[in-house]
Amino acid sequence: MGCDGGTIPKRHELVKGPKKVEKVDKSAELAAKWKYCALSQEKLRRPIVACELGRLYNKDAIIEYLLDKTAERPNSEAVTHIRGIKDIKELNLTDNPEWEGEGRNAKGDRYDEIYCGMFICPVVGLEMNGKHRFCYLQTCGCVFSDRALKEVKTEICHKCGDPFKDEDIVVLNGTKEEIQKLKVKMEERRAKTKTKKSKKSKAAEAVSTPAETKEEVQPPPVNVTGRKSQENGEENSQSGG
């Protein structure tokens, strides 16, 4: 049996298999998170900020979003948890001396183009390019590699000297599991803040209420001197009569 022209079809021509799915280079996709704003998808440029979930943004993109949340944006789901400017932290980043800009590769070396990071860890010198875990401190905004924080144990920031606790460390561009943990941590922190504000407002009301009540119940002042003089006048008139 043959087809037109007397040719015999091969098996792969008769049996249609599943369509090939184009594989996404996960490494390149991860590296892109360290070079592009999670909201605008524009290249990251100072000032750069991070949210409580560890995503990176251009500060001007976040400000534009906060000024007009109704505008349509391609990645608006990446910022729905940001309620105001207090929910982000401006990062104190360390420049990579090896970074010469996007056009530095005259040869077009794809590896260098993807993995050469603009910033590095100020302690151990690792590049912030997606190949290594990086974190930032919510207290001061300084950024370090996870290795530096583990190898050099301290409660004072390596870069600026501000004190911090383990709970102040936020993983940047973490895994789904890490992001979920950060989300739970964020919600717990916000709930505590809300409770503290509620207690303060109730305490303020409790302090102001007794003073107001006292002022309302307090009787008007009595002129004791005038009353005595009036009584003396009546006694004199009676004795004169």
Side-chain angles (χ1 to χ4, degrees):
M1 294 176 64
C3 297
D4 294 341
T7 58
I8 299 174
K10 295 180 180 178
R11 184 178 183 280
H12 73 271
E13 294 174 343
L14 296 174
V15 181
K16 291 184 178 180
K19 292 184 178 179
K20 291 183 179 180
V21 179
E22 293 184 6
K23 292 183 179 179
V24 179
D25 187 342
K26 290 184 178 180
S27 299
E29 186 180 16
L30 179 61
K33 290 183 179 181
W34 299 90
K35 287 190 176 183
Y36 295 91
C37 171
L39 175 59
S40 66
Q41 293 300 299
E42 294 179 356
K43 288 179 181 177
L44 288 170
R45 59 185 181 277
R46 282 190 169 97
I48 298 171
V49 298
C51 65
E52 293 175 278
L53 302 183
R55 296 183 182 126
L56 299 173
Y57 312 89
N58 287 325
K59 189 174 182 178
D60 57 355
I62 293 296
I63 291 173
E64 287 178 10
Y65 163 73
L66 293 174
L67 291 173
D68 184 12
K69 293 183 180 181
T70 60
E72 292 185 5
R73 294 176 176 83
N75 297 294
S76 57
E77 70 279 357
V79 291
T80 51
H81 60 291
I82 298 177
R83 306 162 302 176
I85 204 73
K86 289 183 179 180
D87 291 336
I88 58 173
K89 186 71 178 180
E90 187 168 332
L91 300 180
N92 185 5
L93 295 154
T94 304
D95 290 325
N96 181 4
E98 300 296 324
W99 173 258
E100 298 177 6
E102 293 291 342
R104 73 187 188 89
N105 268 322
K107 297 180 181 179
D109 190 329
R110 181 169 172 75
Y111 182 87
D112 283 349
E113 184 182 341
I114 293 174
Y115 294 109
C116 185
M118 295 183 287
F119 310 106
I120 61 171
C121 171
V123 180
V124 295
L126 293 175
E127 290 189 11
M128 199 172 87
N129 55 9
K131 295 183 71 177
H132 312 283
R133 281 166 53 90
F134 269 73
C135 311
Y136 81 93
L137 306 180
Q138 285 187 311
T139 48
C140 58
C142 292
V143 178
F144 303 96
S145 65
D146 184 59
R147 183 189 297 180
L149 293 174
K150 287 180 178 178
E151 289 183 357
V152 188
K153 291 286 185 180
T154 179
E155 294 181 354
I156 298 176
C157 175
H158 296 298
K159 189 167 184 178
C160 70
D162 284 356
F164 71 92
K165 299 177 182 178
D166 287 343
E167 61 191 36
D168 298 320
I169 301 173
V170 178
V171 178
L172 289 168
N173 288 327
T175 62
K176 289 182 178 179
E177 292 76 16
E178 288 171 335
I179 292 173
Q180 185 58 37
K181 288 180 181 178
L182 288 172
K183 189 175 182 181
V184 172
K185 186 178 172 182
M186 175 187 73
E187 291 171 350
E188 289 176 351
R189 182 165 49 247
R190 290 181 178 182
K192 286 180 182 178
T193 303
K194 190 175 181 181
T195 303
K196 285 181 181 179
K197 286 182 179 179
S198 178
K199 286 181 179 179
K200 283 183 179 180
S201 61
K202 286 181 179 179
E205 288 177 6
V207 170
S208 61
T209 302
E212 293 172 359
T213 307
K214 189 176 180 181
E215 289 177 2
E216 291 175 2
V217 175
Q218 186 175 2
V222 178
N223 190 344
V224 179
T225 308
R227 186 175 178 183
K228 283 185 177 181
S229 60
Q230 185 180 2
E231 289 175 356
N232 291 335
E234 290 177 356
E235 288 176 2
N236 290 334
S237 62
Q238 287 176 1
S239 61

